[in-house]
Amino acid sequence: MVGNLKKLKVFFSTENSSLPKALDWFLDGALIFLIIFTPLAVGSVGLISRSIMIFVIALIFLAWVIMQLLEGKKIFFPSAIIVSLLVFSFLVLLQLISLPASLVDFLSPKASLLHGALALTEPSSAVFFQLSINPHATLSELMRLLSCVIIFYVIINHYNTKDKILRLITIIVCVGLFISLVALFQKLFWNGKLLWFIPVNSTRSPDMTFFWGPFVNHNHFAGFLLMIIPLSFGLLLSKFEKLRTLPGVTLGKRLVRITESREFLPIVLISLSCIIMTGMLLMTLSRGGFIGFAVALVTFSVLAFIGGLVGRRLVFVLSALGVIVFILVVLVAPRLEHRFSEIDTEKIPRVMVWKDTLRLAKDFPVLGSGLGTFKDIYPAYQSGYGKTFFSHAENDYLEVLCDTGFVGFFLLLFTMYLYFSHVYKAWKRRRNTFVKIITVGGLSSCVAIAVHGLTDFNMRIPSNALLLAIISALTYATVFNLKTKKVFSKKF
């Protein structure tokens, strides 16, 4: 077997050396397809679109494994973050394994009671139970979770050049701009259907005040843009960094040099993209999105200062963007103020749902009721709005607490701590300007969606969860994989 594998490596490395390159192109193309397809497919919340996403990710992983084997490289690279994600995945898998009734009764008495009630009609099922009260839903969520883990793993191990990382970031920003324009035209020419052909719930009327793009919920559209905008700020500043060495004695001559530079058009286009996406984010009137965006701006500015990136050019660029953002905020301020005043009378009473969810979590304290089972168990704990069906906890963290118990909840927090601490410590040691700026943008994106998760459930939307996996992995790859000789010599 080993001899055959060696012969296979030799064959592909000599006679068919183009195969690894073709696999590399396929991997990039498939990843770009996912970035474009998943949000346009209504966030990929449907069974068909979600299945396509998982299938393409499986192909990406297969292509990467074959590339590793042909090049004689390792397939598994031990990492504390990956191990933590795999442990969390194993916890979800444990919820699907049939365990002795006595063990289930010890780990989750409430789940044991529910299974026992069902066992009145099926006595044979009383011997072994599953911790998940809806194994089908948990299996579906496990597949999606593993898909995001795989994408994260492939990117942090495969994307090791500036060109690859820059290309993917540019694609993400272009997709954010495109979907923002689609949202704008969809609103102007609304015919009662998403993207003009996908039927939506009849309660969504054409005179709706929100902008929601290809998503069913405007908050999820806000979450999608929230992850892209800080990254686009980083991309914009990385382009400005290239202008630092342009010659010119006077300001006028330097401006002429800038307009003649190859970077001038990209800077203009990225600047317009930042403005359009920011305007569209504010027009979603998502309160959590607005708070997340404000935190992202503060995070970006603080990290830029800590990283020694605060120079005249950066101050000028941030000031110009700040003025534009301020104008956009002023324009939508009355509507945002009205939105914040609706907290006590909103259709979705989040505070009530959060209190009910905490009561639910007390009954499933160790390992939860099963990932993805909130909609099945919550009606039994719902204290109001009896005619309203709540499929999610309106809080990513509380829903994880409910679904996976305190073990899963602390695993989630521990994984987040590992990621931010590892990336931040490595970032402080880097001196390359591109690395430092892109990492600032990526970390700000992750912080923004983490804040938004306090008031919404973006991570239960496949397209948004996948985008977070991609952006966080690109940020990780930027700070750890790019080995450049050029160092940061003076303030940008």
Side-chain angles (χ1 to χ4, degrees):
M1 181 67 181
V2 176
N4 291 335
L5 183 58
K6 289 182 178 179
K7 291 179 181 179
L8 190 64
K9 291 179 183 177
V10 172
F11 175 77
F12 283 121
S13 62
T14 57
E15 299 184 24
N16 289 324
S17 58
S18 62
L19 181 59
K21 185 177 293 186
L23 290 172
D24 187 40
W25 288 347
F26 169 79
L27 196 154
D28 285 347
L31 200 52
I32 292 171
F33 167 78
L34 288 175
I35 294 171
I36 299 172
F37 169 77
T38 52
L40 288 176
V42 197
S44 297
V45 294
L47 177 61
I48 295 177
S49 56
R50 190 169 66 248
S51 299
I52 292 174
M53 183 190 83
I54 293 174
F55 177 71
V56 173
I57 291 174
L59 292 179
I60 289 174
F61 184 65
L62 178 62
W64 180 78
V65 168
I66 294 175
M67 288 177 60
Q68 295 298 106
L69 292 175
L70 293 179
E71 296 173 0
K73 297 180 180 179
K74 294 181 180 180
I75 295 177
F76 180 72
F77 301 86
S79 165
I81 297 173
I82 295 298
V83 170
S84 181
L85 289 171
L86 291 178
V87 171
F88 185 87
S89 301
F90 177 76
L91 184 152
V92 179
L93 179 63
L94 183 63
Q95 295 177 331
L96 294 171
I97 298 175
S98 294
L99 302 173
S102 57
L103 182 58
V104 174
D105 186 56
F106 173 75
L107 293 174
S108 182
K110 197 69 174 182
S112 181
L113 287 175
L114 291 174
H115 284 297
L118 295 176
L120 292 176
T121 56
E122 300 179 30
S124 60
S125 65
V127 179
F128 292 95
F129 294 147
Q130 293 167 301
L131 290 170
S132 172
I133 63 171
N134 186 345
H136 177 75
T138 301
L139 178 61
S140 177
E141 288 297 301
L142 176 61
M143 294 292 290
R144 194 168 60 80
L145 170 64
L146 289 175
S147 298
C148 291
V149 173
I150 287 173
I151 282 294
F152 180 87
Y153 184 72
V154 170
I155 290 177
I156 67 174
N157 288 297
H158 181 71
Y159 283 77
N160 52 12
T161 66
K162 179 179 177 179
D163 289 340
K164 283 185 175 182
I165 291 174
L166 191 57
R167 179 170 61 246
L168 205 56
I169 290 175
T170 303
I171 292 294
I172 292 173
V173 174
C174 289
V175 170
L177 173 62
F178 174 73
I179 292 182
S180 296
L181 294 175
V182 168
L184 176 61
F185 284 103
Q186 178 181 262
K187 180 68 175 181
L188 294 175
F189 305 102
W190 175 248
N191 66 347
K193 298 180 180 180
L194 288 177
L195 301 177
W196 300 284
F197 71 93
I198 302 175
V200 294
N201 193 296
S202 58
T203 58
R204 292 187 175 275
S205 58
D207 61 347
M208 189 174 180
T209 56
F210 306 125
F211 280 70
W212 57 95
F215 295 85
V216 175
N217 190 305
H218 67 108
N219 290 303
H220 303 149
F221 180 39
F224 183 80
L225 293 177
L226 197 56
M227 288 183 280
I228 299 178
I229 295 173
L231 190 66
S232 66
F233 287 169
L235 180 62
L236 176 62
L237 294 182
S238 73
K239 296 295 182 181
F240 268 96
E241 188 271 337
K242 292 186 176 181
L243 303 179
R244 181 167 53 86
T245 57
L246 287 179
V249 180
T250 64
L251 178 61
K253 289 183 177 180
R254 289 187 61 83
L255 289 176
V256 171
R257 293 282 186 177
I258 290 173
T259 56
E260 294 176 350
S261 170
R262 293 175 56 185
E263 300 300 327
F264 178 69
L265 182 59
I267 285 174
V268 172
L269 294 177
I270 297 172
S271 299
L272 288 175
S273 300
C274 292
I275 295 170
I276 293 173
M277 287 189 291
T278 300
M280 197 55 59
L281 170 64
L282 296 176
M283 289 305 295
T284 63
L285 299 181
S286 170
R287 291 165 297 201
F290 178 78
I291 295 173
F293 180 63
V295 173
L297 289 179
V298 173
T299 302
F300 194 101
S301 302
V302 170
L303 289 178
F305 177 78
I306 293 175
L309 299 171
V310 179
R312 287 177 298 174
R313 292 177 181 82
L314 183 58
V315 171
F316 172 77
V317 175
L318 290 179
S319 299
L321 289 175
V323 170
I324 294 172
V325 169
F326 177 75
I327 293 173
L328 292 173
V329 171
V330 170
L331 290 176
V332 300
R335 302 178 73 182
L336 280 173
E337 182 181 2
H338 178 68
R339 283 284 293 145
F340 278 96
S341 68
E342 293 178 333
I343 292 178
D344 295 331
T345 59
E346 62 180 350
K347 294 180 180 179
I348 301 178
R350 284 178 169 81
V351 176
M352 182 204 78
V353 177
W354 296 341
K355 290 179 179 179
D356 294 342
T357 302
L358 288 174
R359 289 194 298 110
L360 195 167
K362 290 180 181 179
D363 283 345
F364 299 86
V366 182
L367 297 175
S369 59
L371 192 65
T373 62
F374 179 86
K375 61 182 181 299
D376 301 298
I377 193 68
Y378 179 73
Y381 295 83
Q382 188 170 336
S383 60
Y385 295 80
K387 295 182 179 180
T388 304
F389 176 73
F390 297 93
S391 58
H392 295 282
E394 304 297 330
N395 182 306
D396 277 324
Y397 305 97
L398 287 181
E399 190 158 350
V400 168
L401 176 63
C402 165
D403 287 356
T404 62
F406 283 96
V407 175
F409 179 73
F410 285 117
L411 267 176
L412 170 67
L413 296 183
F414 180 66
T415 304
M416 293 174 64
Y417 165 77
L418 284 178
Y419 177 82
F420 283 110
S421 62
H422 284 190
V423 173
Y424 177 74
K425 289 177 182 177
W427 171 78
K428 287 195 71 175
R429 294 193 298 267
R430 297 305 301 267
R431 293 294 179 266
N432 180 268
T433 312
F434 175 82
V435 171
K436 293 183 77 70
I437 291 175
I438 292 298
T439 305
V440 167
L443 283 177
S444 300
S445 296
C446 295
V447 169
I449 198 64
V451 171
H452 196 195
L454 293 170
T455 59
D456 222 292
F457 51 96
N458 277 287
M459 292 305 98
R460 300 307 172 109
I461 307 302
S463 63
N464 290 10
L466 179 66
L467 182 62
L468 175 61
I470 293 173
I471 290 178
S472 59
L474 284 174
T475 306
Y476 189 97
T478 299
V479 76
F480 282 104
N481 295 353
L482 295 190
K483 307 299 181 183
T484 52
K485 295 181 180 180
K486 182 181 178 181
V487 297
F488 182 76
S489 57
K490 62 180 181 178
K491 288 186 177 181
F492 168 48

